Amino acid sequence: MAYKSEPIVACIGLGSNLGDRVAHLRSAVNAIQHLGASMSVSSVYESEPFGVGDDEQPIYLNMAVSIQTKLAPEQLLAELLDIERANGRVRLRRNEARTLDLDILMFGEHLIETSALTVPHPRMHERAFVMLPLAEIAPHMVHPVLQRTVSEIAASLPDQGVRRIGSLDAAPAQIPFTNPV
């Protein structure tokens, strides 16, 4: 499958719940902008850890970006993993707290299933912390499996306690952790 002839819109989810979360997100956005063109950046959202049994895990800051890229999905993934490592990400076990997590959510209308990458992200449609920021920047993008727009999926999700903080540019140097309700 060739990806290099025309730029493809890639949507990327960002999350951080360790260290200076705002700095990690800013660093990632700055690095991602060099992987393509015409970047769109969502607001920052705060959410409790999702799908983990560890009540002690810190609160996440999440957002989404989209870029037009000529990179193949595997190349994009490799670049995102490098950005994670540059921000102190160490992978020891699944669903652990992390300085930075970058996921390819969608890659145009492509379906990708390899040992290293599944796109669209297989659980994105269940997660408000993914869908709400994505709906800001790509509301009309159609999920290639569900055949629904991002905004339709986001609107259909139950309240998961995700809270919009504001733009990354307006974010204070460090957003204080909010205690879970």
Side-chain angles (χ1 to χ4, degrees), residues 115-151:
S115 60
L117 182 62
T118 301
V119 176
H121 189 283
R123 293 168 303 284
M124 65 184 268
H125 64 282
E126 302 168 353
R127 299 172 172 178
F129 69 85
V130 173
M131 297 309 299
L132 293 175
L134 187 57
E136 277 189 34
I137 62 170
H140 304 294
M141 195 168 202
V142 175
H143 189 290
V145 174
L146 302 177
Q147 293 301 304
R148 296 172 60 207
T149 66
V150 167
S151 60

Side-chain angles (χ1 to χ4, degrees), residues 14-83:
L14 296 79
S16 176
N17 75 334
L18 287 180
D20 187 340
R21 302 171 301 161
V22 172
H24 293 306
L25 294 177
R26 283 187 176 132
S27 174
V29 169
N30 288 336
I32 291 168
Q33 75 181 348
H34 299 290
L35 304 179
S38 300
M39 177 181 256
S40 295
V41 180
S42 77
S43 298
V44 178
Y45 289 77
E46 184 178 67
S47 65
E48 293 185 37
F50 189 86
V52 296
D54 183 3
D55 292 333
E56 300 301 315
Q57 201 175 103
I59 301 296
Y60 273 89
L61 292 183
N62 299 100
M63 57 188 304
V65 300
S66 66
I67 57 170
Q68 291 185 359
T69 185
K70 289 187 176 186
L71 294 175
E74 297 81 8
Q75 293 171 305
L76 179 59
L77 177 62
E79 294 286 345
L80 295 177
L81 292 174
D82 285 346
I83 294 167

Side-chain angles (χ1 to χ4, degrees), residues 46-49 55 59 159-163 177-181:
E46 184 178 67
S47 65
E48 293 185 37
D55 292 333
I59 301 296
D159 182 3
Q160 296 175 2
V162 176
R163 184 172 74 95
F177 287 94
T178 301
N179 292 329
V181 179

Side-chain angles (χ1 to χ4, degrees), residues 80-123:
L80 295 177
L81 292 174
D82 285 346
I83 294 167
E84 286 182 352
R85 282 188 289 276
N87 280 274
R89 172 76 187 264
V90 177
R91 293 176 183 267
L92 300 174
R93 66 181 199 277
R94 186 175 167 94
N95 293 328
E96 65 191 345
R98 62 220 49 188
T99 55
L100 185 63
D101 186 35
L102 302 175
D103 292 316
I104 301 174
L105 303 174
M106 297 176 70
F107 196 81
E109 296 177 1
H110 295 281
L111 299 174
I112 303 163
E113 185 85 32
T114 69
S115 60
L117 182 62
T118 301
V119 176
H121 189 283
R123 293 168 303 284

